[in-house]
Amino acid sequence: MRRLRTRLAGALLSVLALTLTTAACGGPPGAATPSSGGSSASPAADRVEPLADTPAPDLPVTVRSADGRKVTVDQAERLVPLSGSLSEIVFTLGLGDRVVARDVTATFAQAGKLPVVTRGHDVSAESVLSLRPDLVLAEATSGPAEAMDQIRAAGIPVLVVGPAAGLDDVGPRIEAVAKALGVPAAGQKLTRRTEQRIAAVTGTVPGERPRPRVAFLYLRGSASVYLIGGRGSGATSLIEAAGAVDAGAASGLEKDFTAITSEALVKAAPDAILVMEKGLESVGGVDGLVEIPGVAQTPAGMDRRVVSVPDGILLNYGPRTDQVLTSVVEQLYAGGGAA
């Protein structure tokens, strides 16, 4: 859900977009060992952890949107975040009770009962407007443009938040949302908490040499979409934070995503493969993954070394990134490290 241009509006949303244009398609926890592959270390229960103290918005405020517009927010009683990543930030700031709708990628428990008004790039302006929002929080990839224009034309403030492409984007995205909601101090507090937790995880990463090579594969078996991530896929920062090398980028893949070929996989030579859980399920688990041409010939395929993370949070780069990173590290180094 670059989305596969991977800025899935932060990264996962973009991946869905490319999937929809690449093929007509509709298209989570436990530690995996190299021999078992495919079971994923859970980033904890699928819930967000709000700040202990619920902040009180100090409004109105005028902020600069990532699309260059100035946005004035007079009140924040009814919020519509157009991605799972943005929903996660709002809820973790402690303002989840003000959210009145969600994107399909907002899969965490607290958002589960909210109506779905958008699916990646498929925003329904009519559905959004029917909820009488005070503020719409959007990704750079939210669309179509006509729907976004219709929402603005109705007088609804729309804040576009800069894309999530790596760990360096965690703090700026949290603080951009917090400022628009009139709770900048809470944004700074959440940023500090998140960055401290990420730093604590990176401190546990084994100093293995040579560093393991990890290829990020985007899979949707039902649509015959099999892609390998390159530079800018959105996964490089996460892979490097786990003490590994992005095998796709290191092999010279400049595009965000490239169709998987035996030649590309052999050149990438990954020691492990990073996938989204639903993508792995769509190809029949690890048994099906190694049947994709070229996978079985890689060190990762021979060792069945697969790191699997839930789709909804893998590339969010937000308040739960420390949990994602923990899961990746635990799975990647299970059983003694890279082959």
Side-chain angles (χ1 to χ4, degrees):
M1 166 106 72
R2 24 149 319 203
R3 198 236 180 158
L4 251 212
R5 250 187 14 88
T6 296
R7 285 190 166 163
L8 164 69
L12 188 58
L13 289 178
S14 298
V15 173
L16 283 179
L18 181 59
T19 299
L20 292 173
T21 56
T22 302
C25 89
T33 65
S35 59
S36 65
S39 57
S40 57
S42 175
D46 195 7
R47 301 183 63 85
V48 300
E49 179 189 348
L51 293 173
D53 301 319
T54 301
D58 184 10
L59 299 170
V61 297
T62 298
V63 294
R64 178 75 66 174
S65 178
D67 60 0
R69 294 180 170 91
K70 285 187 177 180
V71 177
T72 297
V73 183
D74 293 313
Q75 55 184 357
E77 299 298 324
R78 300 180 63 81
L79 308 174
V80 176
L82 296 182
S83 75
S85 177
L86 294 174
S87 291
E88 182 176 313
I89 293 173
V90 176
F91 273 83
T92 310
L93 285 169
L95 300 176
D97 60 342
R98 298 165 182 257
V99 178
V100 296
R102 67 183 178 94
D103 178 77
V104 69
T105 59
T107 58
F108 54 92
Q110 293 99 319
K113 294 184 179 180
L114 293 171
V116 175
V117 297
T118 175
R119 297 175 182 273
H121 284 333
D122 187 16
V123 175
S124 169
E126 293 77 12
S127 295
V128 171
L129 294 174
S130 71
L131 294 165
R132 298 174 288 106
D134 301 318
L135 175 66
V136 170
L137 298 165
E139 301 282 0
T141 52
S142 297
E146 294 79 7
M148 303 308 296
D149 289 342
Q150 186 176 343
I151 293 170
R152 291 189 180 94
I156 307 301
V158 176
L159 178 79
V160 177
V161 181
L167 291 176
D168 289 344
D169 298 317
V170 172
R173 281 171 61 82
I174 290 173
E175 294 188 10
V177 172
K179 287 178 182 178
L181 297 180
V183 292
Q188 294 168 4
K189 182 177 181 180
L190 180 56
T191 294
R192 287 194 300 271
R193 187 186 85 175
T194 304
E195 291 178 344
Q196 288 169 358
R197 291 179 176 183
I198 291 172
V201 179
T202 58
T204 69
V205 175
E208 187 171 299
R209 292 294 182 273
R211 293 188 295 163
R213 295 171 64 88
V214 177
F216 174 42
L217 303 188
Y218 180 79
L219 312 170
R220 283 298 180 264
S222 59
S224 298
V225 175
Y226 309 108
L227 306 173
I228 179 171
R231 204 173 309 281
S233 72
T236 301
S237 181
L238 182 67
I239 290 170
E240 292 179 346
V245 174
D246 184 334
S251 69
L253 295 178
E254 296 296 332
K255 295 172 59 178
D256 292 346
F257 287 86
T258 302
I260 290 176
T261 64
S262 296
E263 293 75 15
L265 286 172
V266 168
K267 188 174 182 180
D271 298 303
I273 290 171
L274 172 65
V275 292
M276 297 179 185
E277 281 191 353
K278 289 183 180 178
L280 185 61
E281 293 170 3
S282 77
V283 297
V286 176
D287 289 340
L289 176 62
V290 297
E291 294 298 320
I292 295 174
V295 171
Q297 287 68 52
T298 66
M302 288 185 279
D303 291 338
R304 298 170 66 85
R305 193 172 185 184
V306 180
V307 176
S308 173
V309 178
D311 301 42
I313 61 173
L314 175 58
L315 299 179
N316 274 4
Y317 292 114
R320 291 194 290 173
T321 293
D322 66 294
Q323 296 175 25
V324 176
L325 184 57
T326 296
S327 178
V328 171
V329 170
E330 289 178 352
Q331 295 179 75
L332 181 58
Y333 298 100

